[in-house]
Amino acid sequence: MQHICVVGLNWGDEGKGKIVDVLASDVDAVVRYQGGANAGHTVYIGDVRHVLHHIPTGILHGGIQAILGNGMVIEPAKLIEEVESLSEEALSRIWISDRAHVVLPHHGAVERILEEQASRPIGTTLRGIGPAYQDKFGRSGVRMGDLVQPGFVDDVLEARLLERCRVLGVSEQCATEGVQICTQLRDRLGSQVIDTCHLLNEMHATGKKLLFEGAQGCMLDIDFGTYPFVTSSSPSFLGVGTGSGFSPRKIDHVVGVTKAYCTRVGEGPFPSEITGEAADALREAGGEFGTTTGRPRRVGWLDIPMLCYCAALNDIDSFALTKADVLTGRDTVPVVTGYRLGEELLESLPFSVADMEAVEPVVEQWPGWNQVDERAMQPFIERLEAATGIPVSILSTGKRRDEVCIFSPFQVEGEVA
Ligand code: GDP
Ligand code: IMO
Ligand code: MG
């Protein structure tokens, strides 16, 4: 197997960072293809916590190249901060696409106004992600490659940003701040800005192994998620091609990551959501507080129709099941297997937000486990595999790197393939 892609199958925070870290021990490069500092990917090496927002978590393994693809939007101050938390040696392994867009101060300013004035806010991470993608698709964006063009930051950028500030009706101070932060980004990371599409294809041609790391999750996908309560990019596997310039046809295996239950941070439909004391207990047990914003995550049960929808869209080959340890000790585990909308029994989520919010989940009790290992969890895993038709290849049993069971096709004679 040469190339793997890891994607989230819920509303983000499934534990993608940890799964990528587990699989990264045997690859040559890890690649992000969308999103930006809205992502927060956590890895525990021993008891030391590492959180990355732009840089793929595989960077934590020595010798691996970390590539920030063209589909990303880069927030200069955040990326610089992230780089400072790593070693100078690690910096030499980070490559940023010249076509990735820059998140600028006016994006944050616009987003704050939109969220404050909306009759129903989305509950975004307020990292300027939506407005940055709006500028990209409105053909008014600034790209990483622009920053390293001679004279661009010093002579051209301010006028460009002032024009955007005037059009968008935000303070012209944003333009001044934009030039300052872009100058810092160019000076600190300009030498790492390259044509990453060329690099990826060259690595493929020379037999190198690539691992693609999705951010967010399929239910936050701009096209396929619970629109408009979504992010502004394509986190699903379908986004890999446009977000990296690497043909998805070359990717051999797609791993879909799901928790053994479900969470969502921000607003929007969540059919399997639970509230009250049971929810508080699950949130505490799972440490369900946002990695990027610290917000309490909404919690609910594993949702099989949603999982099947995401698995099909992402053409999943196997599941990575995370946070199984959080549910240890229950005789049974509630799982949503369908929805009722009035008299109608649905097998998949309806189109409109109103209907998605109106559905009543059909809950079944599946076998629980008293300890978190593959044997004790076998009945649950078999039930999941039968309901979805997709095998579990990775079982994450704790937050640390070594708390994991790895099955076919990633296990070869006791080693990660
Ligand atoms: P990501 O955005 O998908 O990478 O996920 P986050 O890092 O935002 O959130 C997942 C959280 O769960 C992090 O705090 C991880 O350290 C933690 N985590 C990942 N896998 C497991 C697991 O199997 N068990 C437990 N208890 N925690 C886990
Ligand atoms: P990772 O990669 C969880 C959510 C926000 C909000 C919606 C839109 O860590 O899984 P945005 O700032 O993207 O415009 O917000 O998407 N959201 C995430 N939720 N994990 C994430 O990333 C998220 N990135 C965005 O809470 O509901
Ligand atoms: Mg996260």
Side-chain angles (χ1 to χ4, degrees):
M1 187 185 307
Q2 194 176 357
H3 310 307
I4 303 169
C5 180
V6 171
V7 292
L9 297 184
N10 312 148
W11 284 278
D13 300 330
E14 297 89 350
K16 300 174 294 292
K18 166 166 177 180
I19 299 302
V20 167
D21 177 68
V22 165
L23 292 172
S25 57
D26 185 48
V27 305
D28 298 290
V30 275
V31 189
R32 277 275 304 271
Y33 56 91
Q34 44 71 232
N38 49 350
H41 296 177
T42 317
V43 175
Y44 278 85
I45 304 176
D47 288 322
V48 182
R49 180 174 185 248
H50 302 262
V51 179
L52 293 165
H53 299 284
H54 294 93
I55 304 171
T57 56
I59 188 76
L60 301 171
H61 290 264
I64 292 182
Q65 310 297 306
I67 297 169
L68 280 61
N70 57 279
M72 289 189 71
V73 287
I74 310 281
E75 184 184 337
K78 271 276 167 196
L79 180 59
I80 293 170
E81 191 184 303
E82 231 173 302
V83 162
E84 301 306 341
S85 74
L86 301 169
S87 64
E88 279 301 313
E89 183 281 325
L91 171 59
S92 70
R93 294 185 275 116
I94 296 171
W95 304 105
I96 308 164
S97 170
D98 50 8
R99 290 168 172 82
H101 279 247
V102 184
V103 181
L104 292 154
H106 69 263
H107 295 135
V110 168
E111 185 173 32
R112 280 190 292 278
I113 296 168
L114 289 173
E115 284 285 90
E116 273 164 27
Q117 297 189 355
S119 54
R120 192 165 169 197
I122 291 166
T124 71
T125 59
L126 292 177
R127 301 246 59 97
I129 302 295
Y133 279 112
Q134 278 176 330
D135 269 2
K136 169 178 174 171
F137 288 97
R139 294 158 293 181
S140 307
V142 172
R143 299 189 291 174
M144 289 299 298
D146 294 327
L147 304 189
V148 294
Q149 295 297 307
F152 180 85
V153 173
D154 301 319
D155 307 331
V156 179
L157 184 60
E158 186 167 20
R160 284 266 296 271
L161 297 185
L162 277 172
E163 187 182 317
R164 288 309 292 152
C165 289
R166 286 183 200 126
V167 169
L168 296 166
V170 298
S171 162
E172 293 186 0
Q173 178 66 22
C174 290
T176 315
E177 287 168 15
V179 174
Q180 281 167 2
I181 197 66
C182 284
T183 306
Q184 283 177 34
L185 183 62
R186 177 199 62 192
D187 294 349
R188 187 75 177 98
L189 290 165
S191 56
Q192 308 307 114
V193 176
I194 60 163
D195 177 353
T196 52
C197 169
H198 178 74
L199 173 64
L200 290 174
N201 284 296
E202 203 176 59
M203 289 187 87
H204 170 76
T206 53
K208 300 278 195 288
K209 293 183 176 180
L210 306 175
L211 174 55
F212 292 81
E213 174 173 335
Q216 288 80 54
C218 183
M219 295 308 286
L220 288 172
D221 189 287
I222 184 76
D223 286 282
F224 304 111
T226 47
Y227 189 91
F229 298 97
V230 292
T231 191
S232 298
S233 68
S234 306
S236 77
F237 175 61
L238 302 171
V240 169
T242 53
S244 69
F246 187 77
S247 168
R249 286 208 305 170
K250 298 195 180 92
I251 294 175
D252 304 288
H253 194 104
V254 184
V255 181
V257 188
T258 177
K259 285 176 186 167
Y261 51 96
C262 216
T263 63
R264 168 163 207 168
V265 57
E267 300 305 315
F270 184 177
S272 73
E273 183 169 18
I274 55 169
T275 52
E277 279 177 20
D280 294 342
L282 183 55
R283 184 178 304 108
E284 284 301 321
E288 297 298 353
F289 298 90
T291 310
T292 299
T293 59
R295 291 178 289 178
R297 295 179 185 140
R298 299 157 64 192
V299 297
W301 301 121
L302 189 65
D303 183 330
I304 298 298
M306 191 179 87
L307 213 53
C308 289
Y309 169 77
C310 295
L313 255 173
N314 287 275
D315 206 1
I316 296 298
D317 294 290
S318 68
F319 289 126
L321 185 64
T322 62
K323 305 201 89 157
D325 51 304
V326 176
L327 299 180
T328 304
R330 289 171 183 262
D331 289 341
T332 59
V333 171
V335 172
V336 170
T337 54
Y339 316 110
R340 272 202 188 84
L341 184 62
E343 297 296 294
E344 219 183 331
L345 192 60
L346 308 180
E347 283 179 357
S348 59
L349 267 185
F351 166 81
S352 78
V353 167
D355 282 349
M356 281 191 256
E357 289 181 331
V359 296
E360 281 293 322
V362 177
V363 182
E364 280 183 11
Q365 297 294 328
W366 286 17
W369 49 93
N370 274 324
Q371 57 189 59
V372 66
D373 61 40
E374 54 190 283
R375 228 164 60 87
M377 286 192 66
Q378 194 61 24
F380 182 89
I381 291 176
E382 276 175 10
R383 191 94 174 245
L384 176 64
E385 292 180 337
T388 58
I390 292 173
V392 173
S393 60
I394 301 174
L395 174 64
S396 176
T397 57
K399 61 188 180 183
R400 291 203 328 254
R401 188 183 253 183
D402 56 358
E403 291 176 311
V404 69
C405 306
I406 300 169
F407 314 120
S408 172
F410 298 117
Q411 189 175 43
V412 179
E413 290 166 18
E415 298 289 322
V416 179

